[in-house]
């Protein structure tokens, strides 16, 4: 092996990497928050909603969970314009991540809701709460607490999956790596550095999710 | 300009789907073998091997599969090997699958209660005998549903290999789109073919889990 590793390009290209990191973080934050919100709504619909709403929500969840994220992204970015929906790369990437995480987190949160003891619903009803109020104040938070570790892993998986959005030219961290390797011809080094950055982002994100969990469920006894 | 019928599109996509299936099988079987070896290292005696597998799993679960593919594709090239896309794709997917399967199976082995280890030890069984006759037969039952469930992730993971130039279903989707200018139909069909491959796996994983849960409650 006569190859000499060189990381001297870092000095010149670090702003590109930095911008890529920021966009990956932006995608993860927006996708994470709105995705979990969508997932919670769908989980409510599937577990407690009216009968007519269940089949379409189930179809959405099954369809997304059984197709690759890359194809969902291509469908949204290349396919939807023929229906007159034209999105920028970043909007399409954001939308794809929200839709994707929505389906996965729906299943996770639903498991948490269905593990709620019936007495909790009855207690809510006996306090004259409406079903929505019972869900919001009695059921949801303990349900989220139960499945928080699984939800955290899913958010990390979605963050790592976001590497694919570079394929529609959304300028995330992978896009930056592609850009650098096409300029400096240092393919291995460029991908190596960005892989390490992804690893650090994943570890930090896991810590943040654990911290948020600690804050959300601070004063509740674990069941 | 040539007109493409729906059948032309579908036929070409289905031809390419063969390679998605082949790559999925290779990755799943190869990943299973490597994963099994890693599992024995992970739960075996040597603390050095245990640490190695822990970091291995952390590394492959904490970085994007796409980056692993890029590194396999460009990294092997550094050694002067002319790497074909299928080789890099297979290698990266096998290593990635192994990391996840090891972690799933470790959970299954650890779900077997300590008493089973102690009982078999008290019968004078050695480590290999304990694993062979007592632990693995029980762990296998627990492991089947999540393993089948993970195979869905493997099939979906193969879609990423299109990015390093392996021609399978996703790549065919891009190629056909560029020829027909009908992304909505083409990617819709691609999604449906993936769905047809993955949904039976997801469903059987759910059914197996329900069956095994019943067995669990009868303990």
């Amino acid at each position: 092996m006569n190859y000499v590793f060189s990381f001297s390009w870092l000095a010149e290209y670090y702003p590109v990497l930095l911008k890529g990191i920021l966009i990956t973080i932006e995608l993860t934050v927006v996708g994470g928050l709105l995705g979990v919100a969508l997932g919670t709504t769908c989980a409510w619909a599937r577990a407690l909603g009216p009968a007519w709403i269940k089949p379409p929500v189930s179809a959405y969840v099954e369809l997304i969970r059984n197709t690759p994220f890359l194809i969902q992204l291509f469908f949204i970015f290349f396919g939807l314009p023929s229906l007159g929906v034209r999105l920028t790369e970043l909007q399409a990437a954001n939308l794809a991540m929200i839709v994707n995480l929505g389906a996965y987190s729906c299943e996770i949160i639903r498991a948490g809701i269905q593990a709620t003891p019936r007495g909790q619903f009855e207690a809510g009803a006996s306090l004259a709460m409406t079903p929505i109020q019972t869900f919001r104040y009695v059921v949801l938070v303990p349900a989220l607490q139960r499945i928080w570790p699984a939800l955290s892993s899913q958010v990390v998986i979605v963050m790592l999956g976001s590497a694919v959005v570079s394929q529609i030219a959304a300028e995330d961290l992978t896009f930056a790596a592609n850009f650098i390797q096409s300029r400096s011809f240092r393919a291995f080094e460029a991908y190596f550095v960005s892989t390490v950055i992804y690893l650090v982002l994943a570890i930090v994100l896991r810590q943040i999710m654990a911290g948020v969990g600690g804050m959300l469920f601070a004063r509740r006894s674990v069941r | 300009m040539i007109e493409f019928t729906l059948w032309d599109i579908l036929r070409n996509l289905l031809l390419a789907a063969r390679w998605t299936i082949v790559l999925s099988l290779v990755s799943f079987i190869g990943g299973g073998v490597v994963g099994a070896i890693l599992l024995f290292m992970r739960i075996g005696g040597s603390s050095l091997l245990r640490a190695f597998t822990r970091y291995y799993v952390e590394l492959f679960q904490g970085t994007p599969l796409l980056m692993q593919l890029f590194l396999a594709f460009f990294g092997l090239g550094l050694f002067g090997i002319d790497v074909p896309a299928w080789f890099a794709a297979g290698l990266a997917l096998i290593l990635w699958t192994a990391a996840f399967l090891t972690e799933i199976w470790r959970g299954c082995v650890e779900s077997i209660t300590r008493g089973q280890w102690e009982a078999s030890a008290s019968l004078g069984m050695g480590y290999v005998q304990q694993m062979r006759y007592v632990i693995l037969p029980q762990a296998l039952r627990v492991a089947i549903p999540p393993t089948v469930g993970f195979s869905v992730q493997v099939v979906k993971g193969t879609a990423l290999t299109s990015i390093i130039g392996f021609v399978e279903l996703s790549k065919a989707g891009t190629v056909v789109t560029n020829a027909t200018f009908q992304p909505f139909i083409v990617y819709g069909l691609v999604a449906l073919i993936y769905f047809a491959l993955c949904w039976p796996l997801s469903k059987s994983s759910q059914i197996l889990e329900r069956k095994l849960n019943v067995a669990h409650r009868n303990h």
Side-chain angles (χ1 to χ4, degrees), chain A residues 75-86, chain B residues 181-185:
Chain A
F75 187 80
I76 288 172
F77 188 65
F78 297 119
L80 286 190
S82 61
L83 294 186
V85 185
R86 217 165 267 282
Chain B
F181 305 111
Q182 290 177 312
F184 188 81
I185 292 173

Side-chain angles (χ1 to χ4, degrees), chain B residues 152-211:
Chain B
V152 177
Q153 308 297 326
V154 178
V155 176
K156 291 191 293 179
T158 62
L160 296 193
T161 62
S162 63
I163 297 171
I164 59 167
F166 182 69
V167 181
E168 38 65 79
L169 184 49
S170 300
K171 186 77 184 177
T174 310
V175 173
V176 174
T177 301
N178 292 342
T180 60
F181 305 111
Q182 290 177 312
F184 188 81
I185 292 173
V186 175
Y187 287 123
L189 284 174
V190 170
L192 285 179
I193 296 173
Y194 273 112
F195 185 79
L197 289 174
C198 294
W199 194 69
L201 292 170
S202 304
K203 218 50 199 168
S204 46
S205 165
Q206 279 171 16
I207 291 168
L208 283 166
E209 195 169 336
R210 219 171 299 143
K211 278 194 174 154

Side-chain angles (χ1 to χ4, degrees), chain B:
Chain B
M1 194 180 126
I2 311 164
E3 283 296 321
F4 292 91
T5 63
L6 192 64
W7 171 239
D8 287 330
I9 296 174
L10 187 61
R11 197 186 54 204
N12 282 303
L13 292 179
L14 285 174
L15 282 175
R18 289 179 307 175
W19 295 107
T20 291
I21 295 171
V22 170
L23 187 61
S24 304
L25 285 174
V26 169
S27 315
F28 191 68
I29 294 168
V33 172
V34 178
I37 296 168
L38 287 171
L39 174 70
F40 278 99
M41 290 162 64
R42 184 72 171 83
I43 57 180
S46 158
S47 61
L48 195 73
L49 289 180
R50 248 182 296 162
F52 168 77
T53 34
R54 235 204 9 257
Y55 286 120
Y56 176 92
V57 170
E58 176 71 27
L59 193 67
F60 278 88
Q61 292 194 343
T63 57
L65 176 58
L66 182 59
M67 282 295 152
Q68 295 161 23
L69 284 164
F70 279 146
L71 286 177
F73 193 54
F74 292 106
L76 288 175
L78 296 186
F79 293 94
I81 310 166
D82 184 23
V83 198
W86 62 264
F87 184 77
L91 182 71
L93 274 168
I94 285 174
L95 296 179
W96 176 79
T97 308
F100 279 84
L101 286 180
T102 302
E103 200 60 7
I104 292 172
W105 293 341
R106 184 180 65 89
C108 298
V109 170
E110 283 179 357
S111 75
I112 307 299
T113 51
R114 274 248 321 256
Q116 297 285 327
W117 287 96
E118 291 165 356
S120 50
S122 74
L123 292 171
M125 287 184 172
Y127 175 71
V128 177
Q129 282 179 315
Q130 284 180 309
M131 284 301 259
R132 163 74 185 78
Y133 294 107
V134 180
I135 305 300
L136 286 186
Q138 298 181 71
L140 209 63
R141 281 172 64 88
V142 189
I144 289 170
T147 306
V148 174
F150 183 72
S151 66
V152 177
Q153 308 297 326
V154 178
V155 176
K156 291 191 293 179
T158 62
L160 296 193
T161 62
S162 63
I163 297 171
I164 59 167
F166 182 69
V167 181
E168 38 65 79
L169 184 49
S170 300
K171 186 77 184 177
T174 310
V175 173
V176 174
T177 301
N178 292 342
T180 60
F181 305 111
Q182 290 177 312
F184 188 81
I185 292 173
V186 175
Y187 287 123
L189 284 174
V190 170
L192 285 179
I193 296 173
Y194 273 112
F195 185 79
L197 289 174
C198 294
W199 194 69
L201 292 170
S202 304
K203 218 50 199 168
S204 46
S205 165
Q206 279 171 16
I207 291 168
L208 283 166
E209 195 169 336
R210 219 171 299 143
K211 278 194 174 154
L212 282 164
N213 257 332
V214 173
H216 234 73
R217 253 179 264 134
N218 293 340
H219 266 198

Side-chain angles (χ1 to χ4, degrees), chain A residues 112-193:
Chain A
I113 293 172
Q114 283 176 338
T116 306
R118 264 201 23 183
Q120 297 283 337
F121 291 98
E122 288 161 0
S126 75
L127 291 171
M129 285 179 165
T130 64
I132 298 283
Q133 282 177 323
T134 309
F135 179 70
R136 163 71 186 80
Y137 295 106
V138 181
V139 176
L140 183 59
V141 175
L144 282 178
Q145 183 178 8
R146 254 174 240 128
I147 49 82
W148 195 254
L151 193 63
S152 305
S153 319
Q154 193 58 48
V155 173
V156 174
I157 289 174
V158 166
M159 188 275 281
L160 296 174
S162 78
V164 172
V165 303
S166 58
Q167 293 306 305
I168 58 167
E171 299 178 4
D172 75 327
L173 180 50
T174 309
F175 184 89
N178 286 335
F179 177 82
I180 291 167
Q181 75 101 2
S182 67
R183 289 295 178 90
S184 66
F185 301 109
R186 291 283 174 187
F188 185 79
E189 288 93 328
Y191 292 125
F192 181 78
V193 168

